[in-house]
């Protein structure tokens, strides 16, 4: 499971394994304290090298959890804000010049498919479709329906 925490990726990159991670209180299933369980590399858009994110393990159930900066969804290298801005630009028939076009088009296709499925006919007239999907617990640009 991924546990989202309020941390700055740039600080993690700067301090490496010395970054002072705060341990979440306890395993949600067993309600006992986690043990640290090493690091896992993760890649983010603006950083040329991997940063090492902390992992935790529950000593009772053995579940392994990963800590992840809350500015990012799982499996995305761009911040939620950047993705949101990209979709906004596409809605205005524009695109970002600072990000690969193929990735922007992929997000746009996924967003359209998800909005069509979840919101239905006329979704494009919802100016806040992106936020609406998030409020329903969806990642607007993920491939999973
Ligand atoms: Zn547990």
């Amino acid at each position: 499971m991924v546990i989202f925490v309020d941390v700055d990726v740039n600080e993690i990159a700067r301090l490496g394994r010395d970054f002072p991670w705060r341990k979440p209180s306890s395993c949600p299933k067993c309600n006992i304290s986690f043990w640290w369980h090493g690091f896992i590399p993760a890649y983010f858009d603006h950083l040329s090298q991997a940063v090492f994110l902390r992992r935790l393990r529950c000593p009772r159930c053995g579940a392994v959890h990963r800590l992840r900066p809350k500015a990012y969804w799982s499996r995305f290298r761009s911040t939620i804000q950047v993705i949101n801005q990209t979709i906004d630009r596409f809605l205005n028939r524009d695109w970002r010049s600072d990000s690969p076009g193929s990735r922007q088009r992929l997000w746009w296709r996924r967003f359209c498919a998800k909005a069509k499925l979840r919101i239905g006919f006329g979704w494009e007239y919802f100016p806040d479709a992106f936020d609406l999907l998030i409020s329903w617990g969806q990642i607007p640009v993920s491939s999973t329906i």
Side-chain angles (χ1 to χ4, degrees):
M1 192 177 113
V2 178
I3 299 172
F4 293 94
V5 289
D6 192 5
V7 291
D8 180 356
V9 168
N10 297 315
E11 275 300 287
I12 300 168
R14 193 173 70 82
L15 296 172
R17 292 171 194 243
D18 293 329
F19 181 81
W21 292 93
R22 270 202 270 146
K23 199 186 280 188
S25 55
S26 57
C27 175
K29 203 163 93 183
C30 312
N31 202 29
I32 61 169
S33 290
F34 285 120
W35 291 349
W36 290 122
H37 189 60
F39 295 87
I40 188 164
Y43 294 88
F44 297 100
D45 259 355
H46 64 292
L47 299 169
S48 56
Q49 292 188 327
V51 296
F52 289 89
L53 303 180
R54 265 299 202 178
R55 287 198 311 180
L56 305 147
R57 187 172 181 277
C58 172
R60 182 170 294 161
C61 71
V64 174
H65 302 267
R66 291 182 292 128
L67 299 183
R68 187 171 176 86
K70 70 177 188 185
Y72 296 81
W73 282 310
S74 289
R75 297 186 295 278
F76 285 87
R77 301 171 114 187
S78 303
T79 62
I80 295 167
Q81 186 184 21
V82 163
I83 295 170
N84 193 354
Q85 288 166 352
T86 301
I87 297 301
D88 277 349
R89 288 225 185 166
F90 263 91
L91 285 166
N92 293 304
R93 300 178 190 285
D94 191 11
W95 63 89
R96 300 176 69 99
S97 56
D98 60 348
S99 172
S102 56
R103 187 188 301 172
Q104 294 180 60
R105 286 190 297 275
L106 176 68
W107 291 341
W108 175 247
R109 278 198 308 273
R110 289 175 174 177
F111 172 70
C112 291
K114 191 159 278 192
K116 198 182 290 179
L117 184 78
R118 298 285 172 183
I119 299 171
F121 180 75
W123 70 267
E124 57 270 47
Y125 302 109
F126 280 73
D128 56 351
F130 192 89
D131 294 328
L132 191 60
L133 290 169
I134 291 174
S135 75
W136 292 342
Q138 301 286 310
I139 295 176
V141 293
S142 78
S143 58
T144 52
I145 297 292

